[in-house]
Amino acid sequence: RTGNNVKNEKGNAGELQQQAGGSHPVITTQQGLAISDNQNSLRSTPHGPTLLEDFVLREKITHFDHERIPERVVHARGTGAHGFFELTKSLSKYTTAKILTEKNVQTPVFCRFSTVAGGSGSIDTPRDVRGFAVKLYTQEGNWDLVGNNIPVFFIQDAMKFPDLVHAVKMEPDRGFPQAATAHDTFWDFISLMPESMHMIMWAMSDRAIPRSLRMIEGFGIHSFRLVNKEGVSTFVKFHWRPKIGLQSTIWDEAVKIAGADPDFHRRDFFEAIQNGDFPEWELGVQLFTEEEAATFPFDHLDSTKLIPEELVPLQIIGRMVLNRWPDSFFAETEQVAFCPANIVPGIDFSEDPLLQGRLFSYLDTQLIRLGGPNFTQIPINAPKCPFHNLQRDGHMQTQIYKGRTAYEPQSLEEDKPRASQKTGFHSASVHAEGVKSRIRADSFADHYSQARMFYRSQSEIEQAHLASALVFELSKVETEHVRLAVVSQLRTIDESLAKRVGDGLGLKSLPDAIAPAVPVQDLDLSPALRIIDRM
Ligand code: HEM
């Protein structure tokens, strides 16, 4: 409003031209050249064709034409914020990682929440898993905890991930549905994938229609390792717990909100932060040894299983507060690149085959999504601790490499980086012995016991919601044998659930139950059973 509105020098009739002045700087080209007229292209005559010579027009349109980058292949729709993590209990007995041993230090974080199936322009409130990804800019490098709001996953092996995602995303011939699980290909895949049954119970529960992103839990899902200074490793699962508690919408609300405000969750998140009502989570860990894991009635390396807290209690060790909205949605929320392989000394991976595949996938996809090997230099991705390496050149290199040598060993330059046995990352020593094969361990064979445990742990109302969700979803499935195959799976989880869903779908009789590979167990979770308190 402080600019002067003038007619340009040629006196274009009726045009409002805003000119620099007051606090408005002069607009320039990318080369720094001041622009006199930002609205009219250069024409051979007032009625003639536009001239190719007009570099101001060409630059403006070219840059605009290149504004979009590929959206994430999954988790495309998201919203993020800055904040900090603060440790309240040290895990120095278990790990050397400073982020988990130095109390009361505020470590900066960037956190992005997402839906999984929909594209970047889809709605905030579909029935879907929510991504919960945290980048912690620690003194020892970036540590990314890339989790979801559900503690288990659909599949046991990363080999199946492209199939899962192709099944859930829009069908390739028709281009819909854009953000929903209620369609044939998703349920076809699920009905043929018994290991997904536990996750399906969670995904059909009210957890998948959260009221607010401030009210979701976050789970690292896989077992990771903590490694102490003696080199001894302890398994760990990470959980985020929302300070204001967990809350969901009910389905009718979620449907209504989707129409009234497709940005419901990101608006709520933005407004809370703008109002100083900062979202906060506690970080909890479950710690257990390899010997203890061997006694569990499931395999902790199987991502379709959780470790009941009755077996291994959750210990709260810190808190995360999100208190600053990004300046640029594109530069920060869109360009942030999380990767489960980003860890720090004192933390290591487990052999979970789903995690092992993820260690490859994220960097690989980001190389194309963010335009080549230097995306780690984008401010939101760069570490906040000193970093040095011998990498050079490549697309979008923004750092000016100094000196003659970019190799090692070398004897010409004193200031070049070298490896450090003392402070560098060491992989945990893990004993491995066996025959190379694609055989899955027998301990991964029980697909129904925890699905049953989850369903039976729900209150009556929650069970009713879960059954209604299944009826709604399956009523959108056109292919009869797919609907029946899902009901067969449900019978093996819980007869009363299958009956409810069968009735809802108008089935005259229920199809035979699926015969499980191993007997379904009713897990004994009495608190007295076993408590492993580590702190
Ligand atoms: C993206 C979580 C399994 C491949 C994401 C994001 C989250 C996430 C939260 C979004 C990150 C962001 O906000 O930018 C999980 C969890 C999994 C899982 C919790 C299972 C426990 C997998 C598997 C693969 C995979 C098995 C592949 C083998 C990807 C890819 C992206 C992604 C390619 C896009 C990354 C990007 O473009 O930056 N995942 N995911 N995920 N995930 Fe996963």
Side-chain angles (χ1 to χ4, degrees):
R1 306 225 178 277
T2 53
N4 301 320
N5 297 328
V6 296
K7 277 181 129 197
N8 83 3
E9 61 199 29
K10 294 285 181 211
N12 286 343
E15 187 181 53
L16 204 61
Q17 271 266 352
Q18 293 187 316
Q19 292 278 302
S23 59
H24 294 277
V26 179
I27 190 168
T28 71
T29 64
Q30 287 179 322
Q31 308 301 327
L33 175 79
I35 293 173
S36 61
D37 181 341
N38 191 35
Q39 295 192 23
N40 295 290
S41 52
L42 185 64
R43 276 154 280 179
S44 56
T45 68
H47 279 111
T50 300
L51 296 176
L52 184 61
E53 176 192 327
D54 190 353
F55 60 92
V56 179
L57 169 74
R58 280 191 281 114
E59 183 193 278
K60 186 174 179 181
I61 291 187
T62 304
H63 195 274
F64 165 77
D65 289 343
H66 294 258
E67 274 177 11
R68 294 287 169 274
I69 61 172
E71 64 176 32
R72 290 167 176 81
V73 61
V74 281
H75 295 262
R77 182 167 179 85
T79 191
H82 294 272
F84 64 85
F85 171 75
E86 195 172 27
L87 191 73
T88 48
K89 256 188 200 163
S90 170
L91 293 182
S92 54
K93 209 164 127 194
Y94 303 103
T95 177
T96 56
K98 288 188 179 164
I99 179 88
L100 297 178
T101 54
E102 292 185 354
K103 288 197 295 184
N104 306 322
V105 176
Q106 290 200 349
T107 300
V109 302
F110 187 78
C111 185
R112 182 175 181 270
F113 302 100
S114 47
T115 52
V116 180
S120 62
S122 57
I123 55 169
D124 274 352
T125 48
R127 174 175 296 283
D128 199 353
V129 179
R130 297 301 184 286
F132 192 124
V134 188
K135 189 179 282 295
L136 298 110
Y137 303 91
T138 87
Q139 303 164 50
E140 300 176 292
N142 290 349
W143 174 35
D144 292 356
L145 201 45
V146 196
N148 282 339
N149 73 328
I150 290 179
V152 289
F153 201 65
F154 290 102
I155 47 172
Q156 297 174 325
D157 190 319
M159 185 80 155
K160 301 181 181 189
F161 191 70
D163 301 296
L164 167 71
V165 175
H166 288 176
V168 70
K169 283 261 187 187
M170 64 187 185
E171 299 185 18
D173 58 351
R174 58 206 68 186
F176 64 85
Q178 298 203 28
T181 45
H183 62 123
D184 286 42
T185 59
F186 176 70
W187 286 103
D188 183 29
F189 179 81
I190 291 302
S191 70
L192 298 168
M193 193 58 59
E195 70 201 50
S196 67
M197 286 306 134
H198 185 200
M199 177 76 166
I200 283 296
M201 291 295 104
W202 286 79
M204 293 301 120
S205 80
D206 295 341
R207 293 259 177 168
I209 40 174
R211 176 161 298 283
S212 161
L213 296 172
R214 299 178 285 138
M215 298 172 185
I216 62 173
E217 292 189 322
F219 300 93
I221 302 184
H222 315 281
S223 296
F224 289 85
R225 282 192 161 81
L226 296 182
V227 186
N228 68 13
K229 54 180 185 307
E230 284 80 37
V232 176
S233 63
T234 307
F235 285 115
V236 60
K237 295 242 188 197
F238 296 103
H239 302 227
W240 296 105
R241 297 241 294 232
K243 184 114 182 271
I244 56 174
L246 190 82
Q247 260 193 47
S248 299
T249 55
I250 55 172
W251 178 242
D252 287 358
E253 269 181 298
V255 170
K256 207 165 171 182
I257 292 168
D261 183 2
D263 302 313
F264 184 72
H265 280 154
R266 70 170 63 169
R267 189 189 311 282
D268 166 79
F269 210 67
F270 175 81
E271 285 172 357
I273 291 178
Q274 296 306 99
N275 292 339
D277 194 4
F278 301 136
E280 186 171 335
W281 283 262
E282 289 176 332
L283 179 65
V285 288
Q286 289 180 296
L287 297 167
F288 53 98
T289 63
E290 189 147 17
E291 294 69 41
E292 286 156 352
T295 68
F296 297 158
F298 50 82
D299 197 320
H300 76 104
L301 298 177
D302 168 0
S303 274
T304 67
K305 306 298 185 305
L306 51 73
I307 303 185
E309 287 177 33
E310 288 81 352
L311 228 52
V312 182
L314 192 65
Q315 329 254 358
I316 300 301
I317 59 159
R319 69 183 191 121
M320 173 173 74
V321 178
L322 299 181
N323 56 10
R324 184 163 66 83
W325 193 256
D327 292 319
S328 162
F329 183 84
F330 180 82
E332 298 169 275
T333 310
E334 277 309 271
Q335 294 202 118
V336 66
F338 297 95
C339 177
N342 294 347
I343 50 169
V344 292
I347 304 179
D348 204 354
F349 315 118
S350 70
E351 292 72 37
D352 175 339
L354 193 74
L355 172 62
Q356 294 279 323
R358 295 181 73 197
L359 300 180
F360 165 73
S361 183
Y362 289 69
L363 171 58
D364 181 45
T365 198
Q366 285 150 7
L367 287 172
I368 186 156
R369 183 167 75 79
L370 298 167
N374 292 312
F375 69 83
T376 49
Q377 295 173 17
I378 298 171
I380 194 72
N381 294 323
K384 294 191 194 300
C385 63
F387 58 99
H388 317 271
N389 55 51
L390 302 173
Q391 296 165 5
R392 59 183 228 197
D393 309 345
H395 277 294
M396 301 311 298
Q397 177 60 256
T398 60
Q399 287 175 344
I400 300 174
Y401 194 88
K402 302 265 174 56
R404 292 173 75 183
T405 62
Y407 57 85
E408 75 114 353
Q410 57 89 11
S411 61
L412 302 181
E413 289 180 313
E414 277 300 318
D415 59 352
K416 282 292 152 75
R418 294 183 176 181
S420 163
Q421 279 292 328
K422 201 160 144 232
T423 60
F425 173 80
H426 293 272
S427 293
S429 306
V430 178
H431 180 74
E433 185 177 83
V435 178
K436 182 166 73 179
S437 81
R438 293 183 188 273
I439 295 171
R440 188 165 27 170
D442 289 344
S443 52
F444 278 49
D446 175 7
H447 304 317
Y448 298 96
S449 301
Q450 289 211 353
R452 176 179 290 179
M453 176 182 77
F454 177 77
Y455 179 69
R456 295 189 180 168
S457 74
Q458 299 285 284
S459 69
E460 229 173 89
I461 289 178
E462 289 168 327
Q463 288 187 347
H465 286 180
L466 202 155
S468 305
L470 281 161
V471 172
F472 173 85
E473 295 270 320
L474 295 173
S475 68
K476 304 287 174 210
V477 171
E478 293 159 16
T479 313
E480 192 187 6
H481 77 251
V482 173
R483 285 198 300 271
L484 294 178
V486 177
V487 177
S488 299
Q489 297 283 358
L490 297 179
R491 283 195 73 179
T492 309
I493 298 171
D494 185 281
E495 275 292 347
S496 66
L497 172 64
K499 169 93 178 53
R500 236 163 153 159
V501 175
D503 288 349
L505 292 172
L507 300 185
K508 292 200 180 64
S509 61
L510 294 185
D512 289 344
I514 289 283
V518 294
V520 186
Q521 308 171 50
D522 291 316
L523 296 173
D524 180 2
L525 296 177
S526 51
L529 185 68
R530 178 129 186 236
I531 301 273
I532 305 169
D533 193 338
R534 291 277 158 220
M535 305 300 282

